Amino acid sequence: MKLASYTNGEWFTARGAGIQVSDAVYGEPIAEISSDGLDFAGMVRFAREVGGPNLQKYTFHERGAMLRAVAAHLSERKEEFYQLSHKTGATRRDNFVDIDGGIGTFFSYASLTRRELPNQQFLLEDDPVSLSRAGTFLGRHILVPREGVAVHINAFNFPVWGMLEKLAPGLIAGVPAIVKPATQTAYLTELVFRRMLESGILPQGAVQLICGSTGDLLEHLLEQDLVTFTGSASTGRKLKVHPNLIAHSIPFNMEADSLNCSLLGQSVEPGDEEFDLFVSEVALEMTVKAGQKCTAIRRVIVPEGKTEAVINTLRERLAKVVLGDPSQPEVGMGPLVSRAQREEVRGKVTQLRHSSELVLGGENVQLKGGEWESGGFMAPTLLYCPNPLSASEPHDLEAFGPVATVLPYKGLDQAIQIAKRGRGSLAGSIVTHDLQEARTLFFGCASTHGRILILNRDNAKESTGHGSPLPQLIHGGPGRAGAGQELGGLRGIKHFMQRSAVQADPTTLGFISGEYVRGGQVKEPALHPFRKHFEDLEIGESLLTHRRTVTEADIVNFANLSGDYFYAHVDEIGAKDSIFGKRVAHGYFLVSAAAGLFVWPTPGPVLANYGLENLRFIEPVGIGDTIQARLTVKSKNAKDSKPGERPTGVVAWDVEITNQEGAVVALYTILTLVERHHPGR
Ligand code: NAP
């Protein structure tokens, strides 16, 4: 089968012979791959001129809905992907990580978009910052999509997750992508990509695919483009300094290999739950994807007196792993991606043995299907390095297979020192139930790790494990790991956007950002705002209420009603000595009284109070003070409504309570659910 690329809205098959790719299990030819003749300049142009504008006319919510629909479409075809994925050496469990994990990332970003992003095309970050004394000059960060293309270069070990985890945040941001999978497993990426396209959900130009070499693609990139790379540190370093990327300051996010470690706390004894958890986690990380995971545990850091117990238990566990054809249900570990990859890993093991002894390894393991020689099979291999501080190999060499080295430590300081010799890792884990030990090890290792799992009996059941990157948390580590960051919820989306700091007066800033800024001009129409539907409310529309004088009876009644008899409200003597020097009204009374001032009491389009944010009490209100509230429409966010559901939107109202001198006594935002006339935006 000759793999095709997808460019300029159509499939393209290269003319000449390509590279022959074999399956991992039997070594039989599975695909031919070449990008000869592909118009790379045209691809970039198409993404910028067609894909970008097509994506950017949608709001975040609409793009999130696309991702959800694509994920649902792919979910229905998972079985087809699983079958092909077995050819890459993946077992059912490995498929769960790669295929379900990838689709799950789309679902996760779709949900995050609805929860955390506005239903518009740009993103406001933080609150406006006052830059002047009188409040006429403010600043705010606004993020807009980059007007270029994102080139995603992926490693061979996650042909599906690798593509989808990069696409998800970029597409939500509104940036089109060119996906370049690694040659060895591109046939699986191509199938999933093909199914994604067939769904017809993504707009024209949003995604393109290169099967084969990237040719002169990087030469055509410009300032608005970006590159995200996952692969070996050596390829990453080479591409990062590509003259054209440097000439145009093109962001290059690098996710490279890392020598991740797992640390067993010195408080843990054999027989403790944590001891078992530690050994299970190491065995799992060595065998999932046959150890071909950038986050896999390569260095097993263990208190000196416990190495023997750890090695013996690990040996027992690993001996039970059934190797063979991953399409067989009883097989626990498949082959490496190819015979060549196995030879490379074997070479690394030979080098590791300069400073370590082999405690488990060898190839005379019975296979349950598959071919030892033509496939990529390799048995789990465990080494022991007696002098981890003087040896360099365990900290420098990544054997990208089922290989790990046990390293003994004396005291927590030394454990941290050994962990740090990895010079920057994607993921680490600390297994202990001792709080102080967990804290010491975490802070000792945090600066050199992108993510650290602290595993113990309390979280073991629900823990997602050492090796799983999660869409909500960042994936990436410093130093050797490439110093990049992916995912991390909103952070991942922002990576594809440009942050621009706008400085202006409150009225202009409010108009540009689509959100009322305190101090900006307001409109005061005659009709009460609670009598208006979502669509009829305008940003900056405001109501100045009547006034109310706070009496002693108010304070006493509120104390009785709430049961809050705090001395500053009800104890004349205590209140005199308080920071207020007198009895003051409860802050929550003021919030309640303000609601009483501004609500429209009869049934109308305002359906419910949805919440309250950023409440600040600024000046105390005493007996005899007179308060007044101003309620202003700050922002509006239409909610997606399901068929048959009443269409609504969330309106955020800025509330300012002032006293008889015009001084602000309380500030906050309330959220209300307001009915819409129509289901549309
Ligand atoms: P690789 O050889 O570095 O290749 C990575 C990607 O770069 C492939 O798509 C490759 O395409 C492409 N590439 C190579 N040379 C290129 C060039 N001159 N121009 C443009 N693209 C080029 O890595 P791999 O063997 O696929 O993956 C294994 C490595 O990736 C391991 O070291 C592993 O630790 C690391 N990894 C890291 C992460 C992470 O998130 N940090 C995740 C997974 C894997 P071809 O295949 O066509 O050469």
Side-chain angles (χ1 to χ4, degrees):
M1 174 181 65
K2 207 165 197 180
L3 291 189
S5 295
Y6 186 77
T7 158
N8 274 284
E10 48 192 47
W11 288 98
F12 167 89
T13 309
R15 282 175 296 276
I19 296 173
Q20 189 81 245
V21 174
S22 300
D23 89 77
V25 190
Y26 295 95
E28 287 164 358
I30 188 163
E32 221 177 278
I33 183 162
S34 166
S35 62
D36 269 6
L38 203 56
D39 172 12
F40 296 102
M43 276 183 114
V44 169
R45 222 176 18 251
F46 187 65
R48 284 194 204 120
E49 292 172 8
V50 180
N54 271 349
L55 274 170
Q56 286 159 23
K57 64 183 181 222
Y58 294 105
T59 66
F60 290 118
H61 286 202
E62 287 164 334
R63 290 181 218 136
M66 284 177 203
L67 248 61
R68 182 179 298 282
V70 169
H73 180 85
L74 296 180
S75 271
E76 286 164 18
R77 287 153 184 82
K78 270 196 297 203
E79 210 42 57
E80 182 189 12
F81 306 149
Y82 289 165
Q83 291 313 317
L84 190 62
S85 179
H86 289 318
K87 308 265 185 211
T88 70
T91 60
R92 191 95 189 172
R93 181 182 64 179
D94 300 339
N95 282 340
F96 183 74
V97 182
D98 186 31
I99 296 167
D100 295 73
I103 296 173
T105 305
F106 259 43
F107 275 126
S108 173
Y109 264 97
S111 303
L112 174 139
T113 302
R114 272 171 63 146
R115 250 189 354 260
E116 294 186 35
L117 291 178
N119 200 6
Q120 61 193 23
Q121 282 105 335
F122 60 90
L123 183 59
L124 299 174
E125 193 176 52
D126 309 324
D127 288 329
V129 188
S130 175
L131 301 170
S132 64
R133 220 173 254 186
T136 61
F137 188 56
L138 298 99
R140 189 164 202 185
H141 292 120
I142 297 185
L143 285 91
V144 294
R146 295 178 74 91
E147 293 181 8
V149 58
V151 173
H152 299 315
I153 302 175
N154 290 319
F156 73 78
N157 57 333
F158 285 114
V160 183
W161 178 81
M163 167 169 71
L164 298 181
E165 64 99 19
K166 284 187 168 72
L167 280 182
L171 292 177
I172 294 284
V175 178
I178 296 176
V179 179
K180 148 69 183 139
T183 295
Q184 190 60 43
T185 52
Y187 55 91
L188 178 56
T189 312
E190 195 247 20
L191 173 69
V192 178
F193 186 95
R194 201 175 270 277
R195 297 291 173 259
M196 184 160 70
L197 270 193
E198 283 167 5
S199 74
I201 295 162
L202 294 175
Q204 176 88 314
V207 289
Q208 296 179 82
L209 177 74
I210 298 173
C211 285
S213 140
T214 50
D216 62 357
L217 174 74
L218 300 186
E219 306 286 342
H220 301 290
L221 300 185
L222 290 172
E223 292 78 6
Q224 288 289 311
D225 303 322
L226 66 167
V227 179
T228 65
F229 168 84
T230 297
S232 61
S234 59
T235 312
R237 280 194 292 265
K238 194 168 76 187
L239 297 184
K240 193 174 182 169
V241 295
H242 188 287
N244 188 49
L245 301 192
I246 292 179
H248 293 98
S249 308
I250 295 168
F252 184 89
N253 192 75
M254 176 162 151
E255 294 295 336
D257 48 89
S258 77
L259 277 305
N260 313 291
C261 67
S262 186
L263 282 147
L264 180 68
Q266 51 186 9
S267 64
V268 182
E269 297 295 337
D272 288 354
E273 244 176 274
E274 281 70 25
F275 188 86
D276 221 47
L277 288 171
F278 179 73
V279 172
S280 303
E281 201 65 21
V282 173
L284 186 78
E285 287 296 315
M286 285 178 74
T287 53
V288 173
K289 299 269 325 172
Q292 300 166 111
K293 259 169 58 199
C294 51
T295 50
I297 299 169
R298 305 282 173 215
R299 298 179 302 144
V300 185
I301 306 178
V302 175
E304 207 176 26
K306 289 163 194 161
T307 47
E308 206 180 318
V310 167
I311 289 173
N312 288 340
T313 327
L314 261 176
R315 204 188 262 133
E316 271 169 41
R317 294 282 166 94
L318 293 169
K320 289 188 199 140
V321 176
V322 179
L323 253 74
D325 182 339
S327 62
Q328 310 275 340
E330 62 273 45
V331 166
M333 187 173 108
L336 301 190
V337 76
S338 64
R339 202 168 58 163
Q341 184 65 20
R342 192 234 341 261
E343 294 319 311
E344 186 168 330
V345 177
R346 276 184 182 160
K348 290 280 169 55
V349 172
T350 306
Q351 285 175 271
L352 284 169
R353 290 178 72 173
H354 292 158
S355 53
S356 299
E357 50 196 82
L358 188 71
V359 292
L360 179 72
E363 310 302 354
N364 47 1
V365 176
Q366 196 72 34
L367 286 188
K368 188 112 197 146
E371 293 284 343
W372 262 116
E373 267 324 297
S374 46
F377 290 97
M378 178 170 182
T381 303
L382 192 66
L383 298 121
Y384 171 69
C385 174
N387 301 306
L389 284 172
S390 56
S392 60
E393 290 84 356
H395 313 293
D396 288 344
L397 295 176
E398 184 200 39
F400 203 56
V403 183
T405 307
V406 176
L407 311 164
Y409 75 83
K410 287 191 201 103
L412 297 186
D413 284 351
Q414 204 180 80
I416 293 165
Q417 228 181 320
I418 296 171
K420 282 184 167 164
R421 292 211 49 195
R423 291 180 291 119
S425 296
L426 291 168
S429 48
I430 296 164
V431 187
T432 179
H433 199 233
D434 181 301
L435 293 177
Q436 191 53 50
E437 194 166 66
R439 191 170 198 268
T440 305
L441 290 173
F442 172 77
F443 283 108
C445 297
S447 66
T448 50
H449 284 77
R451 177 170 63 80
I452 296 178
L453 161 72
I454 296 165
L455 184 64
N456 60 29
R457 65 194 76 169
D458 298 337
N459 61 30
K461 262 206 186 112
E462 293 197 299
S463 156
T464 46
H466 167 103
S468 307
L470 299 170
Q472 300 86 340
L473 303 179
I474 59 144
H475 173 60
R480 172 167 186 146
Q485 283 191 358
E486 286 179 342
L487 302 174
L490 260 188
R491 199 220 63 83
I493 297 171
K494 289 180 183 178
H495 179 72
F496 294 87
M497 305 185 81
Q498 176 60 42
R499 181 179 289 104
S500 185
V502 52
Q503 297 168 280
D505 59 276
T507 304
T508 308
L509 188 56
F511 188 75
I512 287 176
S513 63
E515 195 173 296
Y516 167 73
V517 177
R518 250 173 227 144
Q521 267 170 25
V522 294
K523 289 180 201 149
E524 296 184 335
L527 190 63
H528 190 285
F530 275 26
R531 298 178 68 188
K532 293 186 176 179
H533 278 78
F534 182 86
E535 295 89 336
D536 303 330
L537 285 165
E538 273 185 64
I539 305 291
E541 178 167 343
S542 187
L543 170 79
L544 183 64
T545 69
H546 56 284
R547 290 183 295 265
R548 169 172 181 167
T549 300
V550 176
T551 64
E552 202 225 346
D554 287 333
I555 296 176
V556 172
N557 282 337
F558 193 80
N560 289 337
L561 189 66
S562 62
D564 176 352
Y565 295 103
F566 190 63
Y567 70 91
H569 311 309
V570 295
D571 171 358
E572 195 68 38
I573 300 167
K576 271 221 172 74
D577 292 339
S578 72
I579 56 165
F580 308 114
K582 61 177 182 186
R583 283 170 67 195
V584 294
H586 301 70
Y588 302 120
F589 167 72
L590 298 176
V591 173
S592 309
L597 292 173
F598 62 63
V599 293
W600 183 263
T602 56
V606 176
L607 305 176
N609 187 343
Y610 206 64
L612 188 151
E613 290 176 344
N614 302 325
L615 172 61
R616 285 284 173 282
F617 296 120
I618 293 161
E619 288 287 334
V621 173
I623 297 161
D625 282 346
T626 298
I627 58 166
Q628 185 173 31
R630 177 174 282 287
L631 177 79
T632 310
V633 179
K634 181 178 172 187
S635 64
K636 303 194 319 178
N637 212 349
K639 279 170 74 84
D640 305 326
S641 56
K642 299 194 179 93
E645 214 177 63
R646 191 193 280 212
T648 58
V650 174
V651 178
W653 307 81
D654 181 78
V655 183
E656 191 177 58
I657 309 178
T658 45
N659 65 15
Q660 61 280 5
E661 277 142 25
V664 177
V665 300
L667 289 173
Y668 51 99
T669 303
I670 58 161
L671 307 172
T672 57
L673 194 65
V674 181
E675 191 165 21
R676 274 189 283 154
H677 291 299
H678 312 290
R681 253 190 292 152

